[in-house]
Amino acid sequence: DDRKTRWVSADELMLQLVSEGLREMRERHIMTQQQLAEAIEVTQPHVSRMEQELDGVPLRLLRRIAQVFSERSQSPRKTKRRA
């Protein structure tokens, strides 16, 4: 089941997120703070604060972040659209 594979991957990414930090994970997945904020439905300043300190971030939000990274690692890289 693809969903089970995605959750296992998200779990591994969540552990990396806690051990390595949000900024490093975000940069590794080639995302800006704004892109991550939009993906997890928070503001960019909220992402900035989380990059400084993950303590107190709800587990459901950490799981959502891990899911976003998991989905990005499983899909082909999208190129930036030019206006």
Side-chain angles (χ1 to χ4, degrees), residues 22-79:
L22 179 56
R23 181 178 181 177
E24 289 79 12
M25 291 289 294
R26 176 182 57 77
E27 289 176 346
R28 183 178 315 135
H29 285 86
I30 311 172
M31 292 184 82
T32 64
Q33 287 182 345
Q34 185 62 42
Q35 288 170 321
L36 180 57
E38 290 170 6
I40 62 173
E41 300 177 346
V42 300
T43 64
Q44 178 275 324
H46 191 125
V47 170
S48 180
R49 286 190 301 273
M50 288 189 301
E51 287 185 353
Q52 300 302 313
E53 182 63 57
L54 280 176
D55 191 37
V57 175
L59 184 57
R60 70 182 186 287
L61 188 52
L62 291 175
R63 170 147 323 266
R64 180 67 190 123
I65 293 167
Q67 286 175 324
V68 168
F69 291 154
S70 176
E71 290 165 4
R72 284 183 65 89
S73 66
Q74 292 176 15
S75 65
R77 293 269 189 246
K78 295 181 181 176
T79 57

